[in-house]
Amino acid sequence: MYENNNIINEIHEDLFKETEESYNIIMNILKKHHPLELIEYLSIISYFFNNIKNNNILTAAQIEFICGIILSIQYDEESNYHEISPEVIQILLDNLVKFFFGFGFTNFSRKMLNINDDEEKEKQFLTASLANEFGIVRGDAQAFQLKEQALDLFKEFDEWMIKYEGFTVGDAIKFIDLIFKRYGKLLFNYINKLLKKSEEFAEIIYEEVSKLNIKNLKNVRKFIKNYRTNKGKKDLIQFITIKFFEKSHKGMLIFDIDEIIEEEKIQEKERFIKFINRFCSPLNQTGNKKFKYPTDDNVFRQRPIISFENKYIVPNPTYLIWVLQSEIEKDMKSTSIWESYQKRKGQYLEKEVLKVFDKILPGCNKYCSLYYYVEDKDGNKNRCELDALIYDSNIFLIESKSGIFKTPARRGAIKTLSSVIYENIEYAFEQAYRAREYIKSNEKVVFYNEDDSIKTIIDNKKYSNIFLLNVTLENFGEVATRIHRFKNIGLYKQNEFPWSVNINDLKTIAEFIEFPSQFIHYIHRRLKINNRSECLSDIFTNDELDFLGTYFDNNLYFDEEKEYNFIVLNDYSLYFNEYYLRKEAGEPIDRLSQKMNPKFKRIIMDLEKLHQHGHTDVIVKLLDLSNDTRNEIVDCIDSIVSKTIKDGEFHDATLVILSNPQNNKSGFGITMMSGLSKNREEMLQRLEGYSKIKKYQQKAFEWLAIGKYADDKSWAINECIYLKYEEEYSEELEQAVKKLFTKPMTWTTKVGRNDPCPCGSGKKFKKCHGQ
């Protein structure tokens, strides 16, 4: 341990030194060049190169950091600034990469050094991770989602905004869109002209070179050899483009207010000026005097327009969308309107939750602001509140929290973090848990309106599962995606974890979910991640949508992962960003979806349409199966159907998916039967009776019976019977088993000891049902 600490200490010291050297190089470059021109240069190359897939030359956090440093420097308006060159920019970019890597690593290492206590080490690791996320990760929702949210939240406060801000939220979003469109149009036209001019100039060069006597000119021969190929021509055009860019880009994104008002024909001049000034950070102020690291206070994070010498630039217009809500809220806090706004936030969130569930579970029963009564230990009845109750074949108990993820908590300050977790996640769980216990302890469950009139009555026996959800207005990042880890450091006290999800992530999930039971299955898998055993590897991401992407790729199946202590999920943000950009532009894009056999998917969709009691439980079980087992189900149905087509008789096949006779509440199997539609009544009798005998023979807790009419081409399956109960001794069924089966059931295919278990667990057969 001591030797390891020494090694880590050495790495920390070396990286810290390199990080400081990179910072000094960056600072030196920023001091010598005109600040707005440098920001403009970086913004333009960021716009061009960051739109090339997997070639992010500058991240939003890096641009923010550069602007933060510039705002910490005192600039002299009379200075003779150096010319910006590609070589200087490359040095700047190289050192930015080094700085951010060193900052990220040393932020962990300085907290972890010489700590031997496991709980303290875990605490330092998590707080360092939060600080890194705060310093480096930008953008936790799509721009259109944030604009819609801000419009809905503030639209009732236009009068207040005119008085205190000088513009409405509608004005603000209109001005942001105006800047977006202006920059986009200028840059699009510029790059097209630049490329056309470069191509024309390349042709002139070829024409002039062709006039020269190449026999006597070695350099000309070399030029022709290098640039007469297709690749050479591209290289030449790129070289010319860079040279033209150096001479022609200046002033494109920099503007003065009168100029932009005139050119964009802005009618609300005074409102536009007040909007620009509200979100503007003038250079040579003292607000960023101590700024050095991405986790430091940075006025640019609140005011992402920079001005100098009466000129303005918006380095990244998206920042205006990111900060709009929080900045208006900050101004509201000191006024009498704050309480009304807080109430509005809560109402907005509850309304949006119901809208999302309407999309995911069409026709579901949904209620908000419910009340119920529970008795305490002294027999007193206490009235309790539940934010939302949603049910179809499952019950969803939802607590919505519109609290703020305070900056100290984002940086990892333990005391603030503790209160943030309790107020926004743990307390929500306690409220939903209390409602679940109320439902479980009463057969007929009554919920009331605020005036004590009955809102709804439900029979708890009719519902398969009760899910506890915590929906938040803010994105709590790693705190929500890894809430189970915060229990280890004493910041979460319960032994069960809810699914905590930001409303905008929930909206995205709703857009990609293909059928209702898939959503149930997603929650089922997500809760397995949150509530996984300590002996299993930890799953890491700070973005809920990484879970969604992984779910589509591998069902979020990590149930047996023990080899590693830490599994980092793939980053799907590039996909979702591209998806929404293309969607907005009306361009086609491949849609993420769960990988499955198309015939198996038709079976799932038909189970949805049949909507038999317990169908969601069945579909969740089927979606949990491996691809091999799914394909086997399809093959079995195809096989018996082909036999019925040949002879017109009934045929059947049975798969035991999970067998454990020692446990009366486990075991799952499927019986599939084919026949002709004219024999429907007989088919149903045969299917139910035969499945009950099979279920009894296996002592299984659950059994699915599927019926398929061979002469019906429009449905993948036609009938579904779901049996779910503990088996008890039955003389009648014993005799039926002996009569129908001369030997115990075996697996339908021969399984090797080292083959995957056909139950779909992902384990080898010898470690699962072959024990």
Side-chain angles (χ1 to χ4, degrees), residues 2-127:
Y2 180 73
E3 289 180 2
N4 286 341
N5 275 337
N6 282 342
I7 293 169
I8 294 173
N9 216 336
E10 284 180 25
I11 295 171
H12 173 83
E13 291 298 326
D14 290 344
L15 261 180
F16 181 76
K17 185 179 177 183
E18 288 179 18
T19 303
E20 290 297 298
E21 288 172 358
S22 289
Y23 172 81
N24 290 330
I25 292 169
I26 292 167
M27 176 65 87
N28 191 41
I29 290 171
L30 299 185
K31 283 180 176 178
K32 290 180 178 179
H33 295 84
H34 190 285
L36 261 58
E37 290 180 6
L38 188 62
I39 291 170
E40 181 179 51
Y41 193 112
L42 293 173
S43 296
I44 293 172
I45 64 171
S46 171
Y47 178 87
F48 289 141
F49 288 99
N50 284 0
N51 281 291
I52 300 173
K53 197 171 183 180
N54 299 324
N55 189 24
N56 283 356
I57 193 167
L58 268 172
T59 67
Q62 288 169 341
I63 292 176
E64 175 192 296
F65 173 72
I66 288 294
C67 292
I69 297 295
I70 285 173
L71 287 166
S72 74
I73 297 169
Q74 289 294 307
Y75 287 93
D76 183 356
E77 295 184 11
E78 305 299 323
S79 290
N80 293 317
Y81 296 109
H82 292 200
E83 279 294 316
I84 300 170
S85 69
E87 293 76 21
V88 168
I89 293 296
Q90 193 58 57
I91 293 169
L92 178 63
L93 295 176
D94 290 344
N95 280 280
L96 264 178
V97 171
K98 287 180 185 177
F99 177 86
F100 269 76
F101 174 78
F103 163 78
F105 185 91
T106 56
N107 194 41
F108 276 105
S109 57
R110 70 184 172 82
K111 290 194 172 191
M112 303 290 287
L113 281 173
N114 304 317
I115 296 175
N116 296 317
D117 179 73
D118 287 343
E119 184 176 324
E120 184 60 28
K121 189 175 288 186
E122 175 95 338
K123 182 186 292 184
Q124 294 301 326
F125 180 86
L126 286 172
T127 55

Side-chain angles (χ1 to χ4, degrees), residues 312-327:
Y312 298 80
I313 188 168
V314 187
N316 183 350
T318 307
Y319 252 110
L320 286 166
I321 297 170
W322 290 343
V323 305
L324 180 61
Q325 180 182 326
S326 60
E327 285 301 290

